[in-house]
Amino acid sequence: QEQRKGRKLFCPRSLLDFDDGGAFPEIHVAQYPRHMGNPHLQKKSTARKSIVNVEIDEGGGVSYDAIVKTGTNDGRKVYARLADMSAKEAEVESIALPSAEDERESFQRTQ
């Protein structure tokens, strides 16, 4: 604690320090009267437990894809298995170069 002229400086931390009022604006420290907005307490209280159904894959083992795809990854493409990330053959139409006519159309449209 910092001391000034032999006295301890007042630093409100507990509920008793705030009594029945709000924060002290003249004291420049983080203050949470009645624990409102206290990020240290919110982290502990926001841990939610959710129930996820167990899925069985083709081989008869437990598929953990449902666990990975819930929560913050909801709505995203998640590669949970190595087989998902392996290279696949691309379709010839999707990787083919544009024809001369397609190039001219694109040139005219974007000019």
Side-chain angles (χ1 to χ4, degrees), residues 9-56:
L9 293 177
F10 176 65
C11 185
R13 294 288 180 211
S14 69
L15 291 175
L16 294 174
D17 293 338
F18 296 106
D19 197 26
D20 61 346
F24 297 90
E26 65 274 7
I27 300 175
H28 300 284
V29 295
Q31 302 174 38
Y32 304 103
R34 297 185 183 158
H35 299 300
M36 291 187 295
N38 191 341
H40 307 292
L41 297 178
Q42 288 178 355
K43 288 181 183 175
K44 294 177 186 173
S45 65
T46 57
R48 286 186 272 147
K49 294 183 180 178
S50 59
I51 297 173
V52 179
N53 293 332
V54 176
E55 296 178 5
I56 307 298

Side-chain angles (χ1 to χ4, degrees), residues 5-107:
K5 295 184 183 177
R7 294 184 306 167
K8 260 189 181 177
L9 293 177
F10 176 65
C11 185
R13 294 288 180 211
S14 69
L15 291 175
L16 294 174
D17 293 338
F18 296 106
D19 197 26
D20 61 346
F24 297 90
E26 65 274 7
I27 300 175
H28 300 284
V29 295
Q31 302 174 38
Y32 304 103
R34 297 185 183 158
H35 299 300
M36 291 187 295
N38 191 341
H40 307 292
L41 297 178
Q42 288 178 355
K43 288 181 183 175
K44 294 177 186 173
S45 65
T46 57
R48 286 186 272 147
K49 294 183 180 178
S50 59
I51 297 173
V52 179
N53 293 332
V54 176
E55 296 178 5
I56 307 298
D57 60 0
E58 300 85 24
V62 177
S63 175
Y64 295 101
D65 294 348
I67 297 170
V68 175
K69 292 180 181 180
T70 57
T72 57
N73 292 329
D74 193 23
R76 294 184 186 175
K77 177 65 176 168
V78 178
Y79 299 103
R81 292 175 283 161
L82 184 62
D84 294 339
M85 296 179 6
S86 63
K88 296 179 176 72
E89 289 295 322
E91 297 176 9
V92 176
E93 296 86 28
S94 65
I95 61 171
L97 292 174
S99 65
E101 183 180 322
D102 292 338
E103 285 183 30
R104 270 188 258 112
E105 285 179 21
S106 178
F107 178 74

